[in-house]
Amino acid sequence: MNNPMIYVAMAADLLHAGHINILKAARELADSHSTAHSQKLQVVVGLLTDSAIAQVDEAPFLDYEQRKIVIESLSFVDSVLPQDTFSYIHNLNTLKPRFVVHGDDWQSGHLSKYRQEVLEFLHTAYPQTSGDKSSHPNLIEIPYSSQINALGIKKAINSLGISTALRQSRLRKLLSLKSPLRILESHSALSALIAQNASVFKDGAKIEFDGFWSSSLTDSTLRGKPDIEALDLTNRLQTINEIFEVTTKPLIYDADTGGKIEHFVFTVKTLERLGVSAVVIEDKTGLKKNSLLGNDVEQTQESIQEFSNKIRAGKKAQVTNDFMIIARIESLILDKGEQDALTRAFAYVESGADGIMIHSRQKEPSEILSFLQAFRSQDKTTPIVLVPTSFNAITASELARAGANIIIYANHALRASFISMQKVANGILEHDRSLEIEKECMSVKEILSLIPGTI
């Protein structure tokens, strides 16, 4: 095996000097090897597809075709082809390149598993007499550009903000690229900043929240008011404006019942103009009661016809194709059964709903999983939104495999902050000073570093 090819995989969402260094090194290797061996080597870029990037990191700013045009225009590159996963294995086995060139930043951390895959391929394809499996002469690693890299550029862009249209369209784009989307309730600019910056690395992938949930429950509770639609749209829009000033991710708005059809039309126009990505309305009528109370309180479900009319009116009022109206079905909450929920779901989709939220107050996810299976047997594409507040033992990944698209953690940030603030307040009173409870608090320096422009 001696395929005359140098393989370079990259996302190249924001092309910078680090990418150029790697491609330049690949070109120089190709030219020197061609001169020495009279065999012309091609520099082939395996460009990560949008879905490949989204499964491991943030979704790209530029789509695949846009990035491909940029890379193809570089004189260092002979050809560009898609790499559909972060794993190199499929392309390596198909192309069987002679060399692989990459930055040395993947020698440790969450990307190291992909480096190991490349090494295993090279040791099999081009065996070495040395028993050392931690390197291979055909893997060329270029020093990482710590002074300029995509992460730093993205942070700088985020600090500048994001356009209304780009933020609004982000939710639909993410739905086309990955599943599940994880959404965290954010009741203030600070809580939204925490949600935007939270991330963990698992199995070679970066897991983060994909957006924010503006909850009527937490917005009301934060102001010491009952969750009965006591806050008007104006009050809640102030919080959204504050969140949008310091973040870049999409937001889904909890509009409770949406009010009268005539009022909902104006709500849609206002939210869309502001840059909100989606609104969720529930098919109940009358004074709003929290769904988790179920039949313990009097709750009335709207007729299918009336609620469908509300969806149609909202869709007619919107201007862009990016804005989404999601219909929340309360049938399982009110013990009306799966068939009633399915009948409503299909009717709402037929009326123009861009997604379905199905809710449950059961501790086990069995009725949700049953609904997902039945719905997906007839509708493979309409996004399904879940709020697993009660059935919280099942993971977002498991729900996604069952057919869900968006998982909303609808009130956890506020609930957690209440416990922490209460503990600190009681601790100060108990000790008559703050020394003992400092360990419960983030340092002033840390909290200031979270705020853009402070440090």
Side-chain angles (χ1 to χ4, degrees):
M1 181 190 299
N2 191 7
N3 203 345
M5 180 187 300
I6 297 173
Y7 189 72
V8 184
M10 57 176 54
D13 185 23
L14 300 171
L15 191 68
H16 56 73
H19 296 115
I20 299 300
N21 287 341
I22 291 173
L23 293 172
K24 182 180 178 182
R27 181 78 269 160
E28 290 173 348
L29 175 64
D31 293 343
S32 64
H33 192 277
S34 298
T35 301
H37 300 276
S38 300
Q39 182 185 41
K40 183 174 177 58
L41 288 180
Q42 300 288 310
V43 175
V44 176
V45 172
L47 191 62
L48 292 166
T49 60
D50 297 347
S51 58
I53 296 171
Q55 291 298 334
V56 177
D57 206 339
E58 288 187 53
F61 285 104
L62 303 178
D63 63 35
Y64 176 84
E65 291 301 326
Q66 292 170 322
R67 293 181 285 117
K68 183 172 183 283
I69 290 171
V70 173
I71 298 299
E72 283 179 331
S73 69
L74 300 177
S75 60
F76 301 127
V77 178
D78 293 303
S79 62
V80 179
L81 51 80
Q83 181 169 311
D84 293 321
T85 69
F86 245 79
S87 171
Y88 287 48
I89 291 302
H90 176 75
N91 280 12
L92 294 181
N93 287 333
T94 301
L95 302 171
K96 299 179 173 55
R98 180 67 180 174
F99 295 96
V100 175
V101 178
H102 197 282
D104 65 1
D105 54 312
W106 68 344
Q107 292 180 0
S108 61
H110 69 288
L111 296 178
S112 61
K113 62 179 289 187
Y114 304 112
R115 179 179 187 267
Q116 186 58 39
E117 289 180 347
V118 173
L119 284 173
E120 291 172 2
F121 165 81
L122 290 173
H123 280 294
T124 301
Y126 306 102
Q128 301 295 303
T129 55
S130 169
D132 182 12
K133 299 295 185 181
S134 64
S135 63
H136 192 285
N138 292 28
L139 173 58
I140 312 301
E141 296 177 301
I142 310 303
Y144 180 62
S145 305
S146 58
Q147 297 302 312
I148 181 168
N149 53 70
L151 180 60
I153 294 173
K154 286 184 177 181
K155 284 185 176 179
I157 291 174
N158 287 344
S159 69
L160 297 174
I162 188 172
S163 71
T164 296
L166 187 57
R167 185 199 295 267
Q168 187 175 76
S169 63
R170 200 76 171 157
L171 185 65
R172 277 199 187 273
K173 182 174 183 178
L174 286 169
L175 280 168
S176 70
L177 296 179
K178 63 187 292 190
S179 183
L181 303 186
R182 297 172 175 87
I183 306 295
L184 184 64
E185 168 264 317
S186 300
H187 52 270
S188 65
L190 181 60
S191 64
L193 278 169
I194 292 170
Q196 173 147 309
N197 289 287
S199 66
V200 298
F201 290 99
K202 294 176 63 177
D203 301 324
K206 181 182 180 183
I207 310 297
E208 61 184 354
F209 292 108
D210 299 289
F212 316 116
W213 170 245
S214 175
S215 161
S216 63
L217 167 63
T218 58
D219 277 2
S220 299
T221 303
L222 188 66
R223 292 166 174 82
K225 295 184 177 181
D227 182 27
I228 54 173
E229 299 184 78
L231 291 183
D232 62 21
L233 181 62
T234 303
N235 291 129
R236 297 188 59 197
L237 289 183
Q238 181 177 342
T239 301
I240 293 174
N241 268 312
E242 291 169 353
I243 289 173
F244 280 5
E245 284 178 351
V246 296
T247 64
T248 58
K249 293 185 176 182
L251 181 142
I252 302 174
Y253 182 85
D254 172 17
D256 292 321
T257 65
K260 294 181 178 180
I261 291 179
E262 296 82 1
H263 297 165
F264 181 58
V265 165
F266 284 104
T267 297
V268 167
K269 291 180 178 180
T270 301
L271 294 175
E272 186 181 25
R273 185 170 59 250
L274 190 63
V276 171
S277 296
V279 61
V280 176
I281 52 173
E282 59 190 71
D283 59 356
K284 288 192 299 194
T285 185
L287 183 64
K288 185 260 178 83
K289 299 289 186 181
N290 190 281
S291 292
L292 296 183
L293 297 174
N295 286 324
D296 292 340
V297 297
E298 184 178 351
Q299 301 194 65
T300 305
Q301 205 166 11
E302 184 68 89
S303 73
I304 293 176
Q305 184 62 48
E306 283 300 310
F307 196 71
S308 296
N309 289 340
K310 185 178 293 185
I311 294 170
R312 292 190 192 97
K315 293 304 294 180
K316 186 177 180 180
Q318 73 181 68
V319 176
T320 70
N321 292 324
D322 293 321
F323 188 76
M324 301 176 67
I325 296 177
I326 299 171
R328 170 171 153 177
I329 299 170
E330 297 290 281
S331 299
L332 301 183
I333 290 288
L334 301 176
D335 298 325
K336 291 189 174 182
E338 180 180 290
Q339 188 53 55
D340 185 78
L342 289 168
T343 299
R344 288 174 176 272
F346 296 129
Y348 299 160
V349 172
E350 181 67 24
S351 300
D354 300 290
I356 294 297
M357 178 189 285
I358 184 66
H359 210 18
S360 171
R361 56 192 171 91
Q362 301 301 315
K363 297 291 186 182
E364 298 298 324
S366 54
E367 67 176 4
I368 288 293
L369 295 175
S370 178
F371 175 89
L372 288 171
Q373 182 179 21
F375 184 85
R376 285 292 180 231
S377 69
Q378 299 184 55
D379 185 327
K380 306 292 186 185
T381 59
T382 300
I384 295 181
V385 184
L386 299 179
V387 183
T389 305
S390 295
F391 49 100
N392 54 20
I394 190 168
T395 67
S397 298
E398 289 170 329
L399 291 171
R401 287 192 290 271
N405 303 92
I406 299 176
I407 311 301
I408 297 177
Y409 298 93
N411 44 50
H412 297 75
L414 184 65
R415 287 162 55 198
S417 67
F418 182 91
I419 292 174
S420 297
M421 289 189 291
Q422 188 177 60
K423 184 175 183 179
V424 167
N426 289 338
I428 291 174
L429 292 175
E430 180 179 351
H431 299 287
D432 205 23
R433 62 182 187 181
S434 64
L435 174 65
E436 286 78 8
I437 53 84
E438 285 295 337
K439 63 181 182 296
E440 305 293 338
C441 304
M442 176 184 268
S443 72
V444 174
K445 184 177 181 179
E446 284 179 310
I447 200 165
L448 291 179
S449 68
L450 185 64
I451 310 301
T454 304
I455 296 179

